[in-house]
Amino acid sequence: LGTAIFTVGTYLQTGLDLYMSKLQIIGILVPWGVGMGFFFPVLSQISLGSLKDEALRHASSLQNLLRLVGGSVGTAISTHILLSSRDLHFVRLQELSTISKVHLGELALKFGEEKAKFVLGMLFNHHAFWQAFSNAFFFACICGVATFLTAMFVEEEGA
């Protein structure tokens, strides 16, 4: 149950955007946190529950090491997805603005050409980042689904 809630909460984060209120963001993050709270203690209990004495000490150390390494690798992969897809989305936004023939005319008259280009570039960058975050959270959701499916097939010893 915790894995499913965690996975759904992660998927909900793909819908985050620049125009959401603080309450909407909190509403999206609460299921994720609740799912994490249900998921991780049970995961520890399942993985260490049947071990005793020396084996428990070794397994606990190994679990912590793998959790830290897995977190580091996951962070590196998510950062790569975030940065590479941000560049892709930024280029797509520029292509769309060129295709639709967006002109800086009004903006340039109001702010000056340099400021208009800066403002438009910042807007493109913000939107590209939000779309890239959606890609990163989608990757995390896929990892959650894979974990959930794996957990469904794990059987306790003696069950």
Side-chain angles (χ1 to χ4, degrees):
L1 178 65
T3 308
I5 295 171
F6 180 72
T7 303
V8 168
T10 303
Y11 177 75
L12 290 174
Q13 292 178 36
T14 62
L16 289 172
D17 65 24
L18 291 171
Y19 307 107
M20 297 183 102
S21 69
K22 187 187 282 186
L23 286 176
Q24 288 173 313
I25 293 171
I26 290 170
I28 287 175
L29 292 178
V30 164
W32 186 65
V34 169
M36 190 181 296
F38 282 129
F39 173 65
F40 283 108
V42 173
L43 180 65
S44 293
Q45 180 61 33
I46 289 172
S47 62
L48 302 175
S50 63
L51 302 174
K52 303 284 185 235
D53 301 324
E54 189 67 25
L56 179 61
R57 286 192 286 276
H58 289 299
S60 177
S61 300
L62 184 61
Q63 181 185 24
N64 284 329
L65 174 69
L66 291 175
R67 182 179 50 84
L68 291 172
V69 170
S72 298
V73 170
T75 299
I77 292 171
S78 294
T79 301
H80 173 72
I81 290 170
L82 179 68
L83 294 178
S84 62
S85 63
R86 182 213 49 189
D87 294 340
L88 176 70
H89 290 300
F90 189 80
V91 169
R92 283 187 182 162
L93 284 169
Q94 287 178 325
E95 288 172 353
L96 289 174
S97 69
T98 303
I99 291 169
S100 64
K101 296 183 177 28
V102 172
H103 296 288
L104 298 176
E106 276 185 46
L107 214 51
L109 289 174
K110 189 172 184 177
F111 295 112
E113 189 173 339
E114 289 301 314
K115 282 187 181 178
K117 286 182 180 178
F118 176 76
V119 167
L120 195 57
M122 289 301 294
L123 287 173
F124 281 2
N125 197 34
H126 283 291
H127 283 281
F129 254 124
W130 278 109
Q131 290 171 348
F133 270 109
S134 177
N135 292 357
F137 284 126
F138 184 74
F139 167 74
C141 181
I142 295 298
C143 290
V145 168
T147 303
F148 178 71
L149 292 175
T150 304
M152 293 298 293
F153 295 108
V154 172
E155 294 183 19
E156 282 191 52
E157 194 173 301

